[in-house]
Amino acid sequence: MPEVTSAYQPGTPCWVDLAAPDQQAAIDFYSSVFGWTGAIGPAETGGYAVCELNGKPVAGIMAAMAMGGQPPPPTVWTTYLAAADADATARAVSSAGGTILMPVMDVMTLGRMCIAADPTGAVFGVWQAVDFPGAGIVNEHGALIWNELNTTDRSAAAAFYQSSFGIESTAMEMEGAENYYALKVGDRPVGGMQPMSEQMPPDTPSHWLAYFSVADADETVGKVTAAGGAALQEPFDMMAGRMAVVTDPQGATFAVITPKPMEQG
């Protein structure tokens, strides 16, 4: 079981969460699709649900609520990048042309966080771990395996993440990976980046897409549609495995992939 036993290096995607209009319905949906267990949390955490897989935290689901006179957040999966110091990272984000959407705040004794957008408009979270490091299991059925930035300006995005997080982007020189870039922390790929696909609606903003590993992409898409979701891209074979892009019943988009054996681990 690929459990995470050490701290996430700064710049590494370490957590994903979802703000849903109907929190319980979202918990039920992902439980049926991935086998997660989760329940609405206590009032002091705003009801935040930490969903688990095999007893390890795998993702968060919260109720989408309006705060400070602002409308409720969109129903999307948010990717969080690990940081050694959330305050210093927030300053680096601003200096590099990003926008802080939610200022740095303590989450009890779990850690410190903020929400930001890069210069191309892609929204992401920053997580400084204290008692809670992030996902405790990855790269297996029902768990996070990849985080991908789809951007309207690849050069601007690459410069931003390098400046604010030290993330390097390197072109993947292999067949089927044209215009695809690996995002690396040190020498280790931690995510991907690509220009916005022509297959996406023209008004689609830059965004981070969360990929969940599944044993059978076709079977999982069947579960998604049976539970009220939809397939935006039906399962297809690509260099890393067989994948699909889907949406849950409340509109949150995510990807599922059955990785080729050499991609697991």
Side-chain angles (χ1 to χ4, degrees):
M1 183 188 300
E3 296 182 7
V4 179
T5 56
S6 58
Y8 285 90
Q9 288 184 273
T12 304
C14 63
W15 188 243
V16 290
D17 67 16
L18 171 68
D22 188 331
Q23 183 186 18
Q24 186 60 59
I27 293 171
D28 294 343
F29 171 82
Y30 289 96
S31 296
S32 68
V33 171
F34 292 137
W36 295 354
T37 57
I40 295 174
E44 56 264 33
T45 65
Y48 193 96
V50 175
C51 296
E52 295 186 343
L53 181 69
N54 299 328
K56 300 289 184 180
V58 67
I61 297 177
M62 70 184 106
M65 297 181 291
M67 291 188 293
Q70 298 296 316
T75 308
V76 296
W77 279 101
T78 299
T79 291
Y80 287 77
L81 304 178
D85 183 328
D87 297 271
T89 301
R91 291 191 293 270
V93 163
S94 296
S95 296
T99 304
I100 302 300
L101 304 177
M102 180 185 295
V104 178
M105 58 180 281
D106 288 316
V107 183
M108 300 187 298
T109 63
L110 302 176
R112 285 173 64 74
M113 64 160 285
C114 68
I115 302 294
D118 71 24
T120 78
V123 175
F124 61 93
V126 173
W127 181 253
Q128 176 191 337
V130 180
D131 292 341
F132 183 77
I137 184 170
V138 295
N139 300 356
E140 81 162 36
H141 177 81
L144 190 68
I145 190 172
W146 194 244
N147 299 77
E148 177 182 272
L149 174 63
N150 292 272
T151 179
T152 55
D153 188 333
R154 187 200 60 78
S155 295
F160 168 80
Y161 289 99
Q162 197 286 324
S163 177
S164 54
F165 288 95
I167 300 172
E168 299 288 346
S169 59
T170 306
M172 296 184 69
E173 297 178 356
M174 54 191 299
E175 186 176 353
E178 294 80 8
N179 290 322
Y180 201 88
Y181 293 76
L183 297 177
K184 293 183 175 181
V185 170
D187 293 328
R188 189 168 69 91
V190 298
M193 177 175 62
Q194 64 180 353
M196 295 290 286
S197 170
E198 294 179 358
Q199 299 174 354
M200 297 178 184
D203 58 345
T204 303
S206 297
H207 61 278
W208 282 87
L209 180 66
Y211 283 64
F212 295 98
S213 179
V214 294
D216 186 322
D218 296 80
E219 180 181 337
T220 300
V221 171
K223 290 183 178 181
V224 166
T225 56
L232 301 180
Q233 264 187 303
E234 295 285 352
F236 64 97
D237 294 314
M238 41 83 80
M239 61 176 185
R242 186 164 176 81
M243 67 165 287
V245 181
V246 298
T247 182
D248 71 20
Q250 299 184 66
T253 299
F254 59 99
V256 296
I257 184 168
T258 302
K260 291 180 180 178
M262 64 178 181
E263 296 293 328
Q264 296 193 47

